[in-house]
Amino acid sequence: RQMCIRDSGKPFSFTHNILKKIFTQLIRINLSIFAKGIVHRDIKPENILVNLEDYSIKIIDFGSAANFRGRGEPFREFQGTLECMPPEWILNGIYESEPATAWSIGVTFYFSVFGRYPFRTKQSIISGKFPLPYSNVSNELLQFLDSCFQMNSTKRFSLHQLLNTSWLKRYEKH
């Protein structure tokens, strides 16, 4: 049985180990499609199917996909969803493949943990601040979010760097 991370308007509750498994796969899948010359451009909870038996995932809806562009080769048209829009698009009208993907992975991760989007408006995106719905959030989890939500896209973690964050490194295979 497969479900989206966001199904029936509500997020699923996953343990931290399952979230680590899901997000390790999400990052690796994006690296694989980058290697094939493709960027998805609409990573969000609705576009990630989770097999509830083994927690393997599939990314769906490649309608916004484009040829991958490396550093210094920005997109000048936005494809995707407002809540996942990177700040550089709002501020400068351009964005690059990997930093924008890292941002949207951060948005999807935040949604998976807290059950809501961190940003609902362009103003909240460019504020550089994401709300914490509760206070007992681990430092490793916060560092992962901070790595995704760097306002300066050149300081935002690459997908390889995200895989090596302490939060994901502590993932224990079942």
Side-chain angles (χ1 to χ4, degrees), residues 8-150:
S8 317
K10 289 184 269 189
F12 271 92
S13 278
F14 294 117
T15 66
H16 278 254
N17 267 356
I18 291 170
L19 278 175
K20 290 174 186 185
K21 181 174 183 173
I22 289 169
F23 279 85
T24 297
Q25 290 175 82
L26 180 59
I27 293 166
R28 287 190 172 136
I29 289 168
N30 274 283
L31 285 168
S32 292
I33 64 175
F34 286 178
K36 292 179 179 4
I38 298 167
V39 58
H40 186 279
R41 297 202 302 174
D42 198 19
I43 297 296
K44 62 182 178 181
E46 296 89 335
N47 287 340
I48 300 162
L49 295 180
V50 180
N51 180 321
L52 296 178
E53 291 175 16
D54 64 1
Y55 300 103
S56 61
I57 68 165
K58 292 179 183 166
I59 298 175
I60 61 169
D61 189 1
F62 280 76
S64 297
N67 290 332
F68 179 86
R69 297 181 186 178
R71 285 222 178 263
E73 299 177 85
F75 286 100
R76 299 185 186 284
E77 77 288 337
F78 183 72
Q79 291 287 317
T81 303
L82 170 71
E83 289 86 354
C84 301
M85 188 180 283
E88 56 270 23
W89 170 250
I90 300 164
L91 295 169
N92 306 317
I94 59 173
Y95 62 97
E96 293 180 341
S97 298
E98 189 167 16
T101 300
W103 181 275
S104 59
I105 286 171
V107 169
T108 303
F109 178 73
Y110 182 101
F111 186 92
S112 301
V113 172
F114 299 115
R116 64 184 198 205
Y117 283 104
F119 314 107
R120 299 300 289 187
T121 65
K122 289 180 179 181
Q123 203 55 43
S124 65
I125 292 168
I126 61 172
S127 76
K129 297 179 178 83
F130 54 90
L132 288 176
Y134 46 87
S135 57
N136 61 340
V137 178
S138 77
N139 282 339
E140 289 176 332
L141 194 146
L142 278 177
Q143 287 169 344
F144 184 85
L145 286 170
D146 281 337
S147 302
C148 295
F149 292 149
Q150 287 295 311

